[in-house]
Amino acid sequence: MALIIDKKILLPVNTQSLISRTHNLLQDYLAISKFKVVAMLVLTAWVGLALAPDVGRGMAVQFISLLGIGLLSAAAAVINHVVDSEIDSKMARTRHRPVAKGCLSKTHALSFAAVIGVAGFIMLMVWANTLTAILTLFALVGYAFVYTSFLKRATPQNIVIGGLAGAMPPLLGWVSETNQMAAAPWLLVMIIFTWTPPHFWALAIARKSDYERAKIPMLPVTHGIDFCKTCVVAYSVLLAVVCVLPYLIGMSGLIYLIGACVLNAVFIYKAVKLKIAGNDETAMDLFRFSIIHLMVLFVILFIDKWLPL
């Protein structure tokens, strides 16, 4: 029986323990799903969907389509945690992840991935279309298996090659709406594909010792930090060029162009600052800004769609 003291209800110890364990378990499942990363991917998918030609699909159906993309993306993240659990345990940044720490077993994690992955695939098959379901499944395989199991351990170009899987959501959102491929959403894919290397290399520079300890051939480990900084600057400039393309083909207007130019000017400034007088904090500053850059860039794309100049 619960006790009432000073108008506060005190639950029995076993009930409090159950609530605590349930809360911790939910936190662990959210962690292995990379909830924040998946939310960013769903945001870019939503913008791809919003920019697609209007075919009269209802908001409820669109929401379920985005949820399906999100669930398959989360399933890929869970598989990544399982495959990388031994590596994660050797790195300061990742050693507290639930599977690496032993809070969740690999069997439980993979079962969870299977459940949400199947649910997401069915959602896309029923409420979107077969093409979206297949493309999203290919993206899962590309990230969870091709990148995580092979590329990450095989080449310093792992991020460059493997980044395509993580860049697919805008195309997936577009295809979920139209059931056909088009050139325009591939520009959005190209933006994320070009953004990915400087984003991850900034982190890799700051965490070089971690990757060395785990024997992961990230670019600063194999080619040195200075060379990696040069690549970050080069890709930052390339990103600025790619970000202008939606405006040049008439996909977006002045609001997007101005926003993209400002964001990329800051990105290049921080990349050059890292190259000239960089340290771990400067690298992390660029890494953190790159997340804001991508999120704001796609929000501006959406705003530009409804407030064209």
Side-chain angles (χ1 to χ4, degrees):
M1 180 181 296
L3 300 177
I4 300 179
I5 301 177
D6 293 334
K7 297 182 179 180
K8 293 181 179 180
I9 298 178
L10 299 181
L11 296 174
V13 174
N14 58 339
T15 304
Q16 292 178 344
S17 177
L18 177 61
I19 293 174
S20 177
R21 290 199 303 270
T22 302
H23 176 266
N24 291 337
L25 189 62
L26 288 173
Q27 291 294 106
D28 287 340
Y29 279 120
L30 284 176
I32 63 174
S33 301
K34 297 186 178 181
F35 177 77
K36 293 181 180 179
V37 175
V38 170
M40 178 76 77
L41 296 177
V42 172
L43 170 66
T44 63
W46 172 55
V47 173
L49 184 154
L51 293 178
D54 185 5
V55 295
R57 296 174 79 229
M59 291 184 61
V61 176
Q62 292 175 336
F63 174 80
I64 296 174
S65 298
L66 292 174
L67 180 59
I69 293 170
L71 287 175
L72 277 166
S73 299
V78 174
I79 296 171
N80 171 267
H81 273 254
V82 172
V83 174
D84 276 354
S85 58
E86 291 186 11
I87 291 174
D88 288 343
S89 65
K90 300 175 183 178
M91 301 175 64
R93 184 176 66 88
T94 57
R95 64 189 178 195
H96 297 298
R97 287 177 172 176
V99 179
K101 197 176 179 180
C103 298
L104 286 177
S105 70
K106 292 182 179 180
T107 301
H108 285 167
L110 288 175
S111 298
F112 177 61
V115 170
I116 62 175
V118 170
F121 187 81
I122 292 174
M123 287 178 182
L124 292 176
M125 287 290 293
V126 175
W127 284 281
N129 50 68
T130 302
L131 180 58
T132 305
I134 292 174
L135 287 175
T136 309
L137 183 61
F138 280 166
L140 180 153
V141 172
Y143 176 74
F145 296 103
V146 177
Y147 166 72
T148 302
S149 300
F150 175 67
L151 289 174
K152 187 174 183 178
R153 294 159 170 80
T155 170
Q157 293 299 311
N158 44 26
I159 290 299
V160 178
I161 304 170
L164 182 60
M168 292 294 286
L171 176 66
L172 301 176
W174 181 291
V175 174
S176 72
E177 190 74 358
T178 65
N179 195 24
Q180 60 184 2
M181 306 286 270
W186 280 106
L187 288 183
L188 305 183
V189 171
M190 192 182 301
I191 288 174
I192 303 178
F193 180 71
T194 311
W195 167 90
T196 300
H199 164 71
F200 273 105
W201 283 337
L203 176 65
I205 289 171
R207 299 290 184 262
K208 178 175 178 285
S209 59
D210 265 356
Y211 287 108
E212 285 179 326
R213 191 180 307 114
K215 297 181 180 179
I216 298 298
M218 296 298 288
L219 193 63
V221 174
T222 60
H223 289 70
I225 288 179
D226 191 61
F227 177 79
C228 187
K229 289 177 179 179
T230 301
C231 291
V232 168
V233 173
Y235 267 88
S236 300
V237 174
L238 180 60
L239 175 62
V241 174
V242 172
C243 284
V244 175
L245 295 180
Y247 174 78
L248 294 179
I249 68 166
M251 184 179 179
S252 61
L254 280 175
I255 291 177
Y256 168 75
L257 178 64
I258 294 170
C261 288
V262 171
L263 287 169
N264 284 297
V266 177
F267 201 118
I268 292 173
Y269 166 76
K270 289 182 178 294
V272 172
K273 182 179 178 182
L274 174 62
K275 171 63 178 176
I276 295 174
N279 51 36
D280 288 354
E281 183 52 39
T282 311
M284 287 305 298
D285 180 54
L286 175 58
F287 172 75
R288 287 188 289 265
F289 174 76
S290 67
I291 298 172
I292 297 172
H293 170 281
L294 188 66
M295 180 179 67
V296 174
L297 186 74
F298 273 80
V299 169
I300 292 174
L301 260 173
F302 177 78
I303 294 173
D304 185 89
K305 165 78 173 181
W306 301 108
L307 297 173
L309 290 181

